Amino acid sequence: MSASSRNLRYIIIGAGMAGILAGIRLRERGEENFVIYEKGDGVGGTWRENTYPGVACDTPAHSYSYSFAFNPEWSAFYAPGSEIRGYFEKMTDRFGVRDFIRFNTEIASCRFEDGRWHVTTRDGEEDVADVLVAATGVLHHPSIPDIPGLADFQGKCFHSARWDHDIDYARQRVGVIGNGSTGVQIVAALAGKVQRLVHFQRSPQWIMPCPDTRYSEDDKQAFRTDPQRIEDVRSGPEAQARRGRFLAAIIDANSPELAEIQSIVEQNLENSVRDPALREKLRPNYRAACKRMVFSPNYYEKVQDPTVYVDTSGIERIESDGVRMRDGSFHPLDVLVLATGFKADAFVRPMTITGRDGADLNTLWAQHPKAYYAVTVPDFPNFFMLNGPTGPVGNFSLIDIAERQWNYIEQLVALLRSGRCTEVSPSHAALEHYEALRTEAAKKTVFASGCSSWYLDAEGVPQVWPWPYEHFMEVMEKPNLDDYELTAA
């Protein structure tokens, strides 16, 4: 079959950053035979879901942009969530992707049968494609904590990704459970603006100080007229030094770079928090970067507001009108916010994905989610993931990661398009070899240095990319076809 005679059909799941990217790249190739299924009512993924006060990206805005579509209009070095969603809305329209999206359509199952992917929606509709791309994101299924009495609370209670904008918070006593990036951002935004604010922390976080840099109209005009200024923010010496330090720190827990980061966060705590008792409450008992780094320009300042109270004594149970602590103390509350993160091991689940000869993705992922270089899976031909399991996560630009992964995927799809094969998937041996190397390397990262986090699997092994980012860039340049099984018609 010639290249010109094979018109592949594509199904993309998710209209967040990665799904939009896939649509843009397909359109650039002149492809029209594709559909993007989106369970929500708009684009933007996590930036559509998360609208809580203070929501922002902790990757510099100019780095959290497509490499082919700079945005000189960012209002700040770290852009607020509403602007990020607006950017993706604009990109969807600018590149003509919106007409290919089916909103409010959730996928229930996908099965590979007779050489094609058969997809069924929650409403019972069916679709068929040659190529299936999962762009479902990493953090999109809210994790609800198993706290006794949670259902008994009579006030307003909701997950941070389901923010209630109808409440007049100024007159409320608000409790925030959780202190990852989301909890820190919410507390910093609400401090001094509510009647009382209690921040419940199971374990404190190291806070990396960061500039609260706002771009003036002159700054924006400079970005508009000289795109090199944007490129300097993205990959100039300062950006490279910042990324290089963090990368070296996480892959080697004994590196001087991690020692430098440790010194910075310790000094931030010492110099920012006046009250010794509060300072000790906020001092973690693990090394910096063991959990995902939390960046904030003002959390330590805001948490010292007289209306804010930090409680690390541990929650005993939720009662109808507040939270009872293990030491017997009680916090009466009107609003309870669950900033408790997401089910990080879900990825494409709860969809049922069935591959060749009935292979079940849940069975393959029984121990933990895994994929060959975070993109492909044995026995699941022509199935590709963007930002899949064990890829680079943390404080990196997921856009850069997704762009490099799409370059990799495109080369595999080209084999299908050309007729060289009708099915492409990695071998089991290739995945096992990759996982063995990755697991051993992951045990040496800072993520395995003695803290609990969503990076760890049930056995305590970090499910992360454990090597230099340059290695990721290298392997994404070109697939090693020796590790792939190519099936001809």
Side-chain angles (χ1 to χ4, degrees), residues 109-233:
S109 64
C110 309
R111 72 183 189 280
F112 189 75
E113 189 175 283
D114 298 327
R116 303 190 82 195
W117 281 101
H118 298 253
V119 173
T120 304
T121 71
R122 292 286 177 196
D123 296 331
E125 295 183 55
E126 295 192 357
D127 200 350
V128 182
D130 304 287
V131 175
L132 180 65
V133 179
T136 52
V138 182
L139 305 176
H140 58 107
H141 293 296
S143 178
I144 306 301
D146 184 16
I147 302 175
L150 185 60
D152 298 331
F153 186 67
Q154 295 301 300
K156 296 287 187 177
C157 180
F158 48 86
H159 190 273
S160 54
R162 304 291 184 265
W163 193 265
D164 189 335
H165 291 275
D166 294 329
I167 298 172
D168 179 7
Y169 289 91
R171 295 185 286 181
Q172 307 298 316
R173 297 165 298 179
V174 180
V176 177
I177 299 177
N179 66 316
S181 292
T182 296
V184 165
Q185 289 176 345
I186 291 172
V187 169
L190 292 183
K193 298 178 182 178
V194 298
Q195 185 182 124
R196 179 169 170 77
L197 180 60
V198 183
H199 195 186
F200 299 98
Q201 299 189 4
R202 184 169 56 183
S203 60
Q205 292 270 17
W206 289 113
I207 306 293
M208 175 64 75
C210 61
D212 188 18
T213 303
R214 304 303 172 98
Y215 291 132
S216 66
E217 183 57 34
D218 287 344
D219 292 328
K220 295 177 187 178
Q221 183 60 29
F223 288 137
R224 293 181 196 118
T225 57
D226 185 6
Q228 183 58 44
R229 289 175 178 264
I230 296 178
E231 189 58 53
D232 288 344
V233 176

Side-chain angles (χ1 to χ4, degrees), residues 329-408:
S329 60
F330 182 75
H331 297 285
L333 297 172
D334 306 301
V335 179
L336 188 59
V337 179
L338 307 177
T340 47
F342 300 84
K343 297 175 182 177
D345 63 347
F347 292 98
V348 298
R349 296 180 287 190
M351 282 185 289
T352 301
I353 312 290
T354 307
R356 181 194 292 126
D357 299 326
D360 177 59
L361 192 64
N362 276 323
T363 300
L364 180 67
W365 286 3
Q367 185 179 14
H368 58 252
K370 53 189 174 182
Y372 177 73
Y373 285 107
V375 176
T376 53
V377 183
D379 292 331
F380 292 80
N382 311 346
F383 171 60
F384 308 100
M385 287 184 285
L386 292 167
N387 289 308
T390 72
V393 292
N395 305 93
F396 302 118
S397 170
L398 292 181
I399 292 185
D400 185 68
I401 293 166
E403 287 191 12
R404 295 180 188 280
Q405 289 174 328
W406 185 261
N407 172 68
Y408 182 95

Side-chain angles (χ1 to χ4, degrees), residues 28-82:
E28 286 178 339
R29 275 195 47 81
E31 303 276 4
E32 301 284 334
N33 195 4
F34 71 92
V35 61
I36 302 174
Y37 286 103
E38 169 53 53
K39 65 182 179 182
D41 60 1
V43 304
T46 190
W47 305 108
R48 181 196 65 237
E49 299 287 304
N50 289 277
T51 60
Y52 59 81
V55 60
C57 188
D58 54 15
T59 296
H62 284 301
S63 294
Y64 198 76
S65 312
Y66 296 128
S67 63
F68 51 85
F70 289 171
N71 177 29
E73 308 305 322
W74 295 121
S75 67
F77 186 78
Y78 294 105
S82 58

Side-chain angles (χ1 to χ4, degrees), residues 269-283 300 303-304 309:
L269 176 61
E270 295 293 337
N271 297 335
S272 302
V273 181
R274 298 181 299 275
D275 178 18
L278 177 59
R279 191 186 309 138
E280 292 314 305
K281 273 188 178 182
L282 295 171
R283 189 185 302 279
Y300 285 149
V303 83
Q304 295 174 86
Y309 184 80

Side-chain angles (χ1 to χ4, degrees), residues 92 112 164 263 478-479:
T92 301
F112 189 75
D164 189 335
S263 176
K478 185 177 182 180

